[in-house]
Amino acid sequence: MKKVFLIATIVSGLTLTSCDSYLDINQSPNSPTEENMTSSIMMPAAEANLIATYGDYMRIVGGYFAQYYAQTFGTSNYLDYSQFTMSATRSSSAYTQLTSRTLKSLDYVLRFSREEQEWGTYLAATTLKAFTYQVLVDCYGEVPYTEAMQDLANISPKYDDGSDIYDALVDSLDFALSKVVAANKVCTNMLFADQDATNWIRFANAVKLKLLMRESGVKNVQAKLDALVAENNFPVEDVEYKGIFKNESGQMSPFYAEEFSSAWGSTQQNVIANLAIIGTMQQSGYTDPRMAKFFKMNGDKKYVGGLSGTNFSTSKTYKSTYWCRPVASYDMPVSLISVSEIEFFLSEYYAKKNDAANAAAHYAAAVEASFASAGVDGADAYIAKFPYEQNKYKQVIGVAKWVALAGVNTFESWCEIRRLDYPAFGAVKGSDMYNLKDDESFDPDLYVAGTLYTPIQVFGEVGANKLLERWPYAESSSARNGNAPKFPGYTTPVFWGK
């Protein structure tokens, strides 16, 4: 990342309503004092750091690893990501942002709200903590958890197994949910404008559903899933940070600020659409109406995507206007979980119970929610063309979810591809579609819709027809930590992918 949000800038730049008696929004939370270190200061500080990382770095790398994005010609900032590469140093800043800033701020809110029995605020902080740790586990597999916040002077906290962390997160959500009622007040936050706990309860249930569904393939969590689904109290709108960004330096939506704004003094644009998603959203005479909301047409008013693993040459053919770019704006939302994702999880839940009717109904609801979020019609036509099939539910759900998340949440899509194994790799490789020695050899028509492909010059430790399954432990975490485990390898799945 070239820049991260300045907490003081974003917090002081927002019009917030505090559940505390007084909030001086001009007081910077970067250096809080005993007087100003309240939940209504520390919660937005935690959120600002989460937004900055999850809405930018995680979106960028997720986009490359899920083959939504390719590297534009003539630049190389993210070329390694397009080749399925990650290093201990590349993710180090993001790891620090999520741990030393987001989680530490949330830890304060948790301690304070529990002491004061402010259970609405406690649930909100618990939910964001669970969400953040889920992201870390899904990247690294193992991270410090039980000893991470006990002693801040401890530079060698033990790394906990991802499965144990997931269990602990579910338990923490259960405890917080057992204490809260909808009427409980929630301190100042940027996610929900209302001050009661209603939407936080729904969001907590959605995070819990995601955790349990990812666990369900490797351990028996059926009873917990049954109870959660029976309760049926999930978000009725997409859970996203929106309406808080401004067209001003330091206050733009982070992905836009990174890739589309010259406010940081850089005009280099690296991210273009990948032919995999473009070739899937327009196939056999069908063009998915959501594509116009996810990607811009090129200079010739066509949808053209680039290839993973190369940045192409700088020939006359491949000018910057040749490629499609993601749709982005200064006020674009940062999505945490959408109604569409929740419905896809519910479809999978029923599919595993061999309840084809309910699985099909939730599959349709997931597609409809995705089209509704994009603001376009055409869900019925998509469902007719790509209907639910019980005997291959993973493939149908996996590909449809991949398409739905293309312009919404690329990081979670990378996770779901690793878990569901769909989209799967096809027979065509990147090197079949483009010869680095022949600039005119690009042939995207060879791509088979609904598949992934091996990038050109793929990272050797990943290899052909494989995804990058995990990241090396972040340097900021492991460099001085004698308890850091040996890295198991780039193609070793995290626990829920085994």
Side-chain angles (χ1 to χ4, degrees), residues 378-413:
D380 289 344
Y382 182 94
I383 295 167
K385 187 171 182 63
F386 307 104
Y388 177 79
E389 297 181 61
Q390 176 65 23
N391 64 346
K392 54 179 183 178
Y393 72 87
K394 281 191 175 184
Q395 180 178 355
V396 173
I397 292 172
V399 173
K401 182 182 282 192
W402 176 61
V403 172
L405 289 172
V408 179
N409 197 324
T410 63
F411 175 81
E412 296 298 336
S413 184

Side-chain angles (χ1 to χ4, degrees), residues 88-103:
T89 55
R90 285 287 256 171
S91 71
S92 195
S93 294
Y95 179 90
T96 298
Q97 189 91 345
L98 292 178
T99 54
S100 297
R101 296 169 187 169
T102 300
L103 289 173

Side-chain angles (χ1 to χ4, degrees), residues 41-42 47 113 189 213 300 310 316 324 430:
I41 287 289
M42 301 308 291
E47 291 178 289
S113 57
N189 67 89
M213 285 303 297
D300 296 325
T310 180
K316 295 180 181 179
C324 295

Side-chain angles (χ1 to χ4, degrees), residues 27-93:
Q27 179 69 52
S28 169
N30 284 320
S31 53
T33 65
E34 289 296 325
E35 289 75 22
N36 74 9
M37 204 165 85
T38 65
S39 293
S40 287
I41 287 289
M42 301 308 291
M43 177 68 87
E47 291 178 289
N49 283 287
L50 176 61
I51 291 167
T53 303
Y54 192 75
D56 183 16
Y57 188 76
M58 296 301 177
R59 184 182 184 112
I60 288 172
V61 295
Y64 280 104
F65 298 155
Q67 291 197 330
Y68 294 137
Y69 301 155
Q71 182 68 33
T72 194
F73 84 110
T75 65
S76 59
N77 278 8
Y78 305 133
L79 182 58
D80 52 345
Y81 299 149
S82 80
Q83 296 169 344
F84 292 173
T85 301
M86 176 59 76
S87 70
T89 55
R90 285 287 256 171
S91 71
S92 195
S93 294

